Amino acid sequence: MAGSGAPCGPAARWKRHIVRQLRQRDRMQKALFLELVPAYNRLLEKAELLAKFSEELKLEPNSVTPVTYHGSWEEHSGPASEQVASPASLRAKWQQQEEGLQLVCGEMAYQVVEKSAALGTLQAQLEERQDRLAALEARVAELREARARQARLLEERRARNAARREAYEALRARAARQEAALRRLQEEARDLLERLVRRKACAAAERNLRNERRERVNQAWVSKELKQAAQQIVNINESPDILEDGTREETVTLTPAVEPDPQESETCEKWKRSFRSASATSLTLSRCVDVMKGLLDFKKRRGHSVGGSPEQRYQSIPVCVVARLPTGVLDALEAHLSEVNAVCFGPNSSLLATGGADQLIHLWNVVGGRLEGNQTLEGAGGSISSVDFDPSGSQVLAATYNQAAHLWKVGEAQSKETLSGHKDKVTAAKFKLTKHQAVTGSRDRTVKEWDLDRAYCSRTINVLSYCNDVVCGDHIIISGHNDQKIRFWDSRGPQCTQVIPVQGRVTSLSLSPDQLHLLSCSRDDTLKVIDLRVSNIRQVFRADGFRCGSDWTKASFSPDRSYALAGSWDGALYIWNVDTGKLENRLPGAHCAAVNAVAWCYSGSHIVSVDQARKVVLWY
């Protein structure tokens, strides 16, 4: 079955297998016929012998010669017979022998039939196996053809793979060149940015130097004016003169503080003039007060300014004397398309902002105990994680998950500024008490200070852990982090001034209006009040059933700092008394999901809570 050429490995294997199967079948069938063939041969011999005996018995008795059958008679008669038997006895004896031979022939014929049937069965099996062998040979031929086709396809695919590999290598080389070009461009951009920062720093230093020189000149001039004013004496005539129009006239005389020499008496006479008392007072007292205020303001600006520019603080910040504990629900509605993450009241306590995962900020008016839609702010581009009003109530700042914070002006639907620069989700964004300044915290382990006039990051603080929330004081920034620590930063210094460890990841921070106490909420299901005067944890609030529902659960002080408010995972609100440390009230039933954030209005009359089930609830 081998071909002319040397067969390949698989073909040689199946050929050897077929040969082994044929040899095994030959041995099996040969074993079946090993006993049948000799028995059949013996049967044929006996049949021939019987036929010969039958022919001899048919002959006449006279024709039988004693010599011919002498040997046979001696063989069948036994050694005891000494005389020759008669033909009749021989015929009877041969008949008996013939019957015995017929019986033997019948048995042999029966065996022949059985063996013939077995042989037919074996021949049928042989034919069946030959048919199967032919089918297998046909199948082998088909498989050979399929193998040849697959080999051709394999060669084609190898060729295509080789071509694709060459194209991939070319693309890799091109990508490497482009990456190198990108790195060069990034380095150039970094160099340009560093040069720009250096130039801005130089320009700021020059501007500061010019301002200082100008202020020094103004100080010198003011000092000179003060010295000249100090050398003059203001004499007020207490007896007023009555003018023709009925008005009084008080005379003020300016005289030198040191008496002049006699030679200079004529010169000093020209300094003695009469003025109205109001004019004289405004010339001296008000001028001195203005000058002193200017000096104090200059010193303050020198100590707390950034880049030499004076800090402008907001004129008025609302103050609450007594906050009222909420007892019931005024209004509840589904405000957003998905969960609501942040809520904040405006300074006038009648404007409310909510932000959610639907990338929208809704402004609401609190009118007659109900929430009425005011405006929708768009353009965030990501889930809202924090919202805040500036102290004037004219701007809204929001932190989003698209690595940026957005600034809106109340009354304008589209974003006014985008504060981009973070490399991960921005989790907190708060206004500072000075105008046009804000602070953001992010999961990229940085806290950034922003100049809102130019949408420029004025400072970047690198931290070792995720930042979950920030609050701002006069000149301090406080950040809560995922590593269970609260960090304090001075706006005028580069380093961290203090670190307070707490148990559990910090989820939110709330600064009291007097900036003397800090409320923190953490994942150990507790609220902590930190006294900033001694930098120590003053109280720890916990309650049965209270649990933080997420890493961004927000807690809040009441505007008079008498109460601490937080929402739990079961939808209930918990209110603690800051002075006594006891749980003051628990408000269940309004929410059916975890509460994400709460806010207490500045007037102290209402609170608002938002949850993960898109609901906003107003409490009274």
Side-chain angles (χ1 to χ4, degrees):
M1 296 177 64
S4 59
C8 59
R13 284 196 295 270
W14 67 259
K15 289 180 179 180
R16 287 194 296 270
H17 177 70
I18 291 175
V19 171
R20 285 195 299 270
Q21 292 294 328
L22 292 174
R23 289 176 179 174
Q24 183 177 0
R25 188 189 65 180
D26 183 56
R27 286 194 296 271
M28 293 174 61
Q29 294 180 356
K30 184 177 180 181
L32 295 175
F33 290 100
L34 284 177
E35 297 178 357
L36 181 61
V37 172
Y40 185 71
N41 292 333
R42 288 195 298 273
L43 181 61
L44 292 178
E45 291 177 356
K46 291 182 179 180
E48 290 178 357
L49 181 60
L50 182 60
K52 185 182 293 184
F53 287 158
S54 299
E55 290 178 358
E56 290 179 353
L57 291 175
K58 290 179 181 179
L59 297 176
E60 292 293 332
N62 297 326
S63 64
V64 178
T65 60
V67 181
T68 306
Y69 299 100
H70 180 72
S72 299
W73 291 343
E74 291 180 353
E75 181 180 357
H76 294 281
S77 61
S81 62
E82 296 177 356
Q83 296 178 358
V84 179
S86 63
S89 61
L90 288 176
R91 184 178 292 110
K93 194 174 182 176
W94 282 114
Q95 287 178 357
Q96 292 176 358
Q97 289 181 0
E98 184 178 4
E99 290 176 358
L101 289 175
Q102 286 179 357
L103 291 174
V104 172
C105 288
E107 292 177 0
M108 296 301 293
Y110 179 74
Q111 292 181 2
V112 168
V113 171
E114 289 181 352
K115 298 298 182 181
S116 299
L119 180 61
T121 303
L122 292 176
Q123 287 179 352
Q125 292 180 357
L126 177 61
E127 292 177 357
E128 181 182 357
R129 292 182 179 182
Q130 287 178 350
D131 294 338
R132 288 181 59 190
L133 178 62
L136 289 174
E137 289 179 352
R139 180 61 179 167
V140 167
E142 293 177 359
L143 291 176
R144 284 180 179 177
E145 294 179 358
R147 179 178 175 277
R149 289 195 299 270
Q150 294 295 331
R152 290 193 297 271
L153 290 176
L154 178 62
E155 293 297 329
E156 293 177 359
R157 290 182 180 178
R158 284 179 178 174
R160 287 199 300 268
N161 289 338
R164 290 178 180 177
R165 188 178 296 108
E166 293 178 357
Y168 172 71
E169 294 296 335
L171 288 175
R172 284 188 59 184
R174 182 180 177 184
R177 292 193 298 269
Q178 290 181 352
E179 287 181 357
L182 177 61
R183 285 194 295 271
R184 288 196 299 270
L185 291 175
Q186 289 177 347
E187 292 176 357
E188 292 177 0
R190 194 179 302 110
D191 294 338
L192 291 175
L193 181 60
E194 292 177 356
R195 289 165 56 187
L196 178 61
V197 171
R198 287 196 298 269
R199 288 186 179 181
K200 286 187 176 181
C202 294
E206 292 178 359
R207 185 166 57 253
N208 292 339
L209 183 60
R210 287 197 300 269
N211 292 336
E212 290 179 0
R213 289 176 179 174
R214 189 181 301 110
E215 293 295 337
R216 289 174 184 172
V217 171
N218 292 337
Q219 280 185 339
W221 180 80
V222 169
S223 299
K224 184 177 179 181
E225 290 290 330
L226 289 175
K227 289 179 180 179
Q228 291 179 359
Q231 293 175 358
Q232 298 177 0
I233 298 176
V234 178
N235 295 325
I236 300 177
N237 189 3
E238 296 182 357
S239 59
D241 297 334
I242 306 298
L243 299 179
E244 295 179 355
D245 56 358
T247 60
R248 294 184 177 184
E249 179 182 14
E250 296 179 354
T251 60
V252 179
T253 305
L254 296 178
T255 59
V258 181
E259 295 183 359
D261 295 337
Q263 293 82 3
E264 297 178 356
S265 60
E266 294 181 358
T267 307
C268 293
E269 288 294 332
K270 62 183 179 180
W271 292 97
K272 298 178 181 180
R273 295 186 303 162
S274 298
F275 296 95
R276 293 183 182 267
S277 61
S279 300
T281 305
S282 64
L283 179 64
T284 56
L285 298 179
S286 63
R287 180 64 180 275
C288 292
V289 171
D290 292 340
V291 169
M292 295 305 295
K293 287 174 65 178
L295 291 175
L296 293 176
D297 291 341
F298 171 72
K299 291 180 180 179
K300 185 176 180 180
R301 290 194 302 268
R302 286 284 306 278
H304 307 309
S305 63
V306 178
S309 60
E311 292 185 347
Q312 299 179 1
R313 296 177 62 86
Y314 291 96
Q315 296 298 326
S316 62
I317 298 176
V319 177
C320 175
V321 179
V322 178
R324 186 177 63 184
L325 279 175
T327 57
V329 177
L330 281 175
D331 193 10
L333 50 87
E334 291 188 358
H336 289 260
L337 300 177
S338 57
E339 66 175 307
V340 189
N341 297 327
V343 61
C344 181
F345 270 104
N348 58 2
S349 299
S350 63
L351 187 62
L352 176 73
T354 59
D358 57 356
Q359 306 179 9
L360 297 176
I361 295 178
H362 293 300
L363 300 183
W364 310 87
N365 290 327
V366 182
V367 180
R370 299 191 64 83
L371 296 175
E372 296 182 357
N374 180 300
Q375 186 183 0
T376 299
L377 305 180
E378 301 176 350
S383 297
I384 307 296
S385 58
S386 170
V387 293
D388 189 31
F389 279 98
D390 68 337
S392 67
S394 60
Q395 291 180 321
V396 177
L397 182 65
T400 64
Y401 280 2
N402 67 340
Q403 305 179 7
H406 295 267
L407 180 67
W408 288 268
K409 187 174 181 180
V410 176
E412 297 179 359
Q414 294 298 324
S415 175
K416 176 183 176 183
E417 296 289 349
T418 299
L419 309 179
S420 58
H422 287 286
K423 298 179 180 178
D424 205 340
K425 299 175 182 178
V426 181
T427 54
K430 299 292 177 62
F431 284 101
K432 297 183 70 175
L433 297 181
T434 52
K435 290 185 177 180
H436 313 302
Q437 293 187 21
V439 176
T440 58
S442 171
R443 293 181 67 88
D444 63 357
R445 298 181 175 87
T446 62
V447 176
K448 292 181 180 290
E449 295 186 60
W450 299 88
D451 184 350
L452 299 181
D453 280 341
R454 298 179 295 172
Y456 171 71
C457 178
S458 58
R459 181 188 179 191
T460 299
I461 302 172
N462 294 311
V463 197
L464 298 177
S465 178
Y466 296 158
C467 177
N468 290 329
D469 200 6
V470 295
V471 291
C472 305
D474 284 334
H475 301 290
I476 191 172
I477 300 172
I478 308 173
S479 56
H481 297 272
N482 205 54
D483 62 352
Q484 307 179 9
K485 293 180 181 178
I486 299 174
R487 293 176 170 84
F488 295 77
W489 313 86
D490 193 336
S491 298
R492 299 162 293 182
Q495 301 297 330
C496 178
T497 60
Q498 189 177 4
V499 177
I500 297 180
V502 295
Q503 293 181 355
R505 298 189 296 272
V506 180
T507 64
S508 72
L509 299 173
S510 177
L511 189 64
S512 63
D514 56 6
Q515 300 184 19
L516 299 180
H517 296 84
L518 178 70
L519 177 67
S520 70
C521 180
S522 54
R523 287 309 298 268
D524 62 347
D525 302 329
T526 62
L527 274 68
K528 302 174 182 65
V529 176
I530 300 173
D531 193 338
L532 299 181
R533 293 169 293 187
V534 294
S535 300
N536 191 14
I537 297 178
R538 174 184 169 186
Q539 286 176 324
V540 177
F541 300 139
R542 55 173 55 90
D544 294 337
F546 174 75
R547 287 175 55 190
C548 288
S550 63
D551 285 346
W552 52 89
T553 300
K554 298 295 187 294
S556 175
F557 268 128
S558 64
D560 61 350
R561 197 193 58 79
S562 299
Y563 304 102
L565 171 66
S568 176
W569 69 281
D570 58 357
L573 300 187
Y574 290 77
I575 303 175
W576 289 269
N577 192 312
V578 176
D579 295 328
T580 63
K582 297 181 179 180
L583 181 65
E584 195 74 24
N585 198 359
R586 179 179 181 272
L587 303 175
H591 294 280
C592 59
V595 177
N596 282 336
V598 293
W600 209 314
C601 70
Y602 288 94
S603 65
S605 59
H606 299 90
I607 66 172
V608 170
S609 56
V610 297
D611 64 13
Q612 296 180 5
R614 305 177 295 179
K615 185 179 287 187
V616 178
V617 179
L618 177 65
W619 304 78
Y620 70 94

